[in-house]
Amino acid sequence: MPAYAIAHLREAAPHPEIAEYIERITDTFEPYGGRFLVHAAQHEVKEGGWPGHVVVIAFPGIDEARAWWDSPAYQEIAPLRSRHIEGDIILVPGVPDDYDSATTAKAMRESLPRDR
């Protein structure tokens, strides 16, 4: 089942360390099967607020995503970003190919208190 590293990064002033981070990041996730799905793209806010940028990196599974995040190669370059850009980053497993949201809704309905 795929997994994703999702970052919501706030606006930041250009800095040489950010450029270096961007130059080096792909080499850190490729050994774990990672690839960019969203990077340096304009987004369209439809509800709420979302200042900054979105980055999505796909991995074959959550174990690979965690191994990438914890890897010495990524941890070495992470400060190049974090010193200059505030943000939120999560690792999240995806859903299987046969996922059906109706099944999730049914389980949710079954857990609701019944009227008497």
Side-chain angles (χ1 to χ4, degrees):
M1 190 164 37
Y4 306 93
I6 303 171
H8 177 201
L9 304 175
R10 307 316 182 268
E11 294 289 343
H15 192 281
E17 286 191 342
I18 296 170
E20 181 181 349
Y21 174 84
I22 293 169
E23 290 168 345
R24 295 174 60 188
I25 189 169
T26 300
D27 288 341
T28 70
F29 59 65
E30 282 182 341
Y32 303 96
R35 67 182 184 90
F36 279 117
L37 294 183
V38 177
H39 190 245
Q42 293 294 320
H43 62 274
E44 188 174 330
V45 177
K46 294 295 190 180
E47 190 172 321
W50 198 287
H53 303 279
V54 179
V55 177
V56 180
I57 304 169
F59 292 90
I62 195 69
D63 291 339
E64 291 87 352
R66 288 180 183 131
W68 163 71
W69 181 264
D70 294 335
S71 71
Y74 183 70
Q75 290 303 309
E76 178 183 323
I77 69 165
L80 299 173
R81 174 196 42 79
S82 64
R83 282 194 287 261
H84 306 286
I85 302 175
E86 288 186 33
D88 303 301
I89 301 172
I90 62 170
L91 301 180
V92 59
V95 296
D97 289 339
D98 62 349
Y99 177 77
D100 180 1
S101 63
T103 303
T104 301
K106 180 181 177 189
M108 182 183 293
R109 287 187 183 282
E110 290 172 354
S111 70
L112 294 172
R114 303 205 185 270
D115 292 337
R116 294 182 191 244

